[in-house]
Amino acid sequence: MLKLIFPNGRETAEDVEELMRLAMESRKRVKDQLARIDSTYPEVDFYYLGTDGTKRRVTTVEEEEYPQFYHLKPALDPKEQEQSETSAGETISAPNEGAPTSGLAPEAGRPIKAEAKPVLEEGHHVFTEDRKGISYDRLFGPYIQDASKIVVTDPYVRYFYQIRNMMEFVEMVIRRKSPEDQVSVHLVTGPDDGNVGKQRELLDSILDACVGSGVEFSWAFDGTGTAHARDIVTDTGWKIVLDRGLDIFQAPIKKDGFSLSDRLQEHRIIKGFYVTYVRSDQE
């Protein structure tokens, strides 16, 4: 494939990486299908090492959008599969507080799965263009959980849709935090020289909207005028590096009536982008 597309041999490292990911993704579909057909077929960890030495896993679009179905193995006996899922997560008995001591209590003692905290790992993840199923909560939620201070640096939060993205990030923080917690979200961005007055007005509207929510929003213009990096840093020790910042969604198709993509991020089509999770206390 590389020789066909670049017969002159002038491909860049980015070109090679893109084609390698495509080839590995296609091969992964074959391997995963074999694992579904034959339960004895070994699982394969599809990854490659980037030029910086980091391990970069390769996934398929359908695996990322429908993980609850993708990893099922019909080749297994249903009872064996149920047992394997049960052993993967602990079960606890739910207390039946306030229930009568006599009579039927169908919910009493029913085992429920304990909610395990997601394992947070460093890593580099590439998301392909023209797919759905991505949201700020999925990308950032586990990493901003329990943070009391979050700093978002993005010099290009200027236009209405970009400031709306910032508002949706704040909404995600509000949904994630406990009611009694206070969280500060600070944005560092660059001025829109063409319409800085409107930009200020929209950013201040986020500040006003957060009153009484338990989230204190603030913003400031970068004073150097040379900022280009886009990242999210928390006081819990995580740094999330973003090549596009919060601007990961394609422009919606305008039409009359209602659209799920206007309300639910998971139903929006994304742009191609990457996210890198780094322990900031190790820098």
Side-chain angles (χ1 to χ4, degrees), residues 130-143:
D130 297 330
R131 56 159 294 190
K132 297 180 181 180
I134 300 300
S135 67
Y136 290 164
D137 188 76
R138 178 176 174 181
L139 289 174
F140 314 129
Y143 290 86

Side-chain angles (χ1 to χ4, degrees), residues 123-262:
H124 179 84
H125 303 272
V126 178
F127 295 87
T128 55
E129 192 140 351
D130 297 330
R131 56 159 294 190
K132 297 180 181 180
I134 300 300
S135 67
Y136 290 164
D137 188 76
R138 178 176 174 181
L139 289 174
F140 314 129
Y143 290 86
I144 61 97
Q145 190 76 37
D146 301 325
S148 58
K149 183 177 181 180
I150 303 168
V151 179
V152 180
T153 302
D154 185 342
Y156 302 105
V157 180
R158 303 181 180 187
Y159 303 124
F160 175 82
Y161 77 92
Q162 295 169 330
I163 299 174
R164 187 187 71 170
N165 288 338
M166 188 67 232
M167 181 65 205
E168 291 186 347
F169 178 86
V170 171
E171 291 171 358
M172 181 269 297
V173 175
I174 293 173
R175 288 192 298 269
R176 273 271 173 177
K177 77 174 196 66
S178 298
E180 67 275 12
D181 291 342
Q182 296 292 318
V183 181
S184 69
V185 178
H186 182 66
L187 169 68
V188 179
T189 190
D192 179 8
D193 296 330
N195 198 357
V196 70
K198 186 63 176 178
Q199 181 188 18
R200 288 178 177 273
E201 180 184 335
L202 290 172
L203 289 172
D204 284 341
S205 72
I206 299 179
L207 189 153
D208 295 337
C210 289
V211 173
S213 68
V215 168
E216 181 184 357
F217 177 76
S218 59
W219 63 273
F221 286 141
D222 170 61
T224 66
T226 59
H228 292 284
R230 303 175 181 183
D231 55 49
I232 301 169
V233 178
T234 73
D235 61 354
T236 52
W238 282 103
K239 180 176 184 178
I240 307 171
V241 182
L242 309 157
D243 64 331
R244 287 188 178 273
L246 300 177
D247 187 14
I248 63 173
F249 300 109
Q250 294 186 23
I253 299 174
K254 295 295 183 181
K255 58 182 181 180
D256 294 333
F258 302 102
S259 171
L260 279 178
S261 62
D262 287 338

Side-chain angles (χ1 to χ4, degrees), residues 85-96:
E85 290 175 356
T86 303
S87 60
E90 293 183 5
T91 60
I92 58 174
S93 294
N96 194 26

Side-chain angles (χ1 to χ4, degrees), residues 75-112:
L76 281 178
D77 181 272
K79 291 183 179 179
E80 293 179 3
Q81 186 154 310
E82 186 177 344
Q83 290 172 357
S84 65
E85 290 175 356
T86 303
S87 60
E90 293 183 5
T91 60
I92 58 174
S93 294
N96 194 26
E97 295 180 2
T101 55
S102 61
L104 296 176
E107 296 296 324
R110 175 177 291 183
I112 61 174

